[in-house]
Amino acid sequence: AIKTKHCLSPLLPETVEEHSKNCELYDVVCSFQVLEHIAEPHRFLLSSLKCLRDGGHLILSVPNDEFILHQKYLDPLNLPPHHLGCYSEKVFRSIAKNLDLNFVSAEHQPPSFPQIHTSESAKNSKLWRSYYRIFSAFGSRLLRFLGEPGHTLLVVLQK
């Protein structure tokens, strides 16, 4: 993004740890689909909190480890080296307690059936698109009926 400048906001080529050393304080710090890639999540979270005003909100989104397709090694992209940590609402409640934060909320993205990877020619076929829509709709409804949480978890913590 920095090289191609595909962003309307200024981009800083620094880590949150570097930024937290001399930054202004913010009302909100967001990190979407990042924490699971961090080798030292405790340091990352502490640095993020250093950037927050008292009463500010830390908003994090991660793959939800309670989603059935993320469990039992069913999703190879949810394993190292791609993802270095697994997170659930219970984990974030523990993090909030250990870092003396208020746990504000946790929202699960509604469950949906995962994308099926196939060839471009199959994707362009009307038969494949019809089949996939039916398969996906049925699978998503089944996951919701079974009470499955979504594959993404959005958590709000307050300093």
Side-chain angles (χ1 to χ4, degrees):
I2 291 172
K3 289 178 184 174
T4 59
K5 297 180 182 164
H6 289 312
C7 186
L8 299 176
S9 300
L11 297 172
L12 306 172
E14 60 190 9
T15 66
V16 70
E17 291 86 359
E18 293 166 340
H19 186 72
S20 70
K21 291 177 183 171
N22 295 309
C23 71
E24 62 179 283
L25 296 180
Y26 303 100
D27 294 321
V28 177
V29 171
C30 299
S31 173
F32 299 141
Q33 306 300 329
V34 173
L35 189 60
E36 67 274 13
H37 299 279
I38 302 294
E40 296 181 45
H42 187 257
R43 190 172 90 181
F44 177 85
L45 290 170
L46 289 177
S47 297
S48 297
L49 293 171
K50 283 174 64 176
C51 297
L52 272 178
R53 289 188 172 99
D54 286 338
H57 291 87
L58 178 61
I59 304 174
L60 304 161
S61 106
V62 295
N64 179 19
D65 195 47
E66 293 175 338
F67 183 55
I68 192 168
L69 296 179
H70 290 173
Q71 295 176 359
K72 299 181 183 172
Y73 311 109
L74 293 175
D75 183 359
L77 292 179
N78 203 37
L79 299 172
H82 186 69
H83 288 168
L84 303 177
C86 296
Y87 298 92
S88 66
E89 184 175 335
K90 183 178 178 181
V91 169
F92 281 108
R93 287 185 181 278
S94 179
I95 287 171
K97 184 177 179 182
N98 289 330
L99 296 179
D100 197 29
L101 302 171
N102 294 321
F103 184 92
V104 176
S105 67
E107 297 289 330
H108 297 87
Q109 179 179 354
S112 60
F113 218 72
Q115 292 287 330
I116 298 173
H117 300 286
T118 187
S119 68
E120 284 300 315
S121 61
K123 285 181 186 176
N124 292 328
S125 136
K126 287 183 181 180
L127 180 62
W128 167 254
R129 287 196 311 264
S130 298
Y131 169 77
Y132 182 73
R133 283 186 190 125
I134 292 167
F135 183 73
S136 177
F138 175 75
S140 297
R141 284 186 178 92
L142 178 62
L143 289 172
R144 285 192 289 275
F145 174 77
L146 295 173
E148 273 300 311
H151 61 77
T152 299
L153 177 64
L154 180 78
V155 177
V156 179
L157 307 174
Q158 184 179 34
K159 185 173 177 183

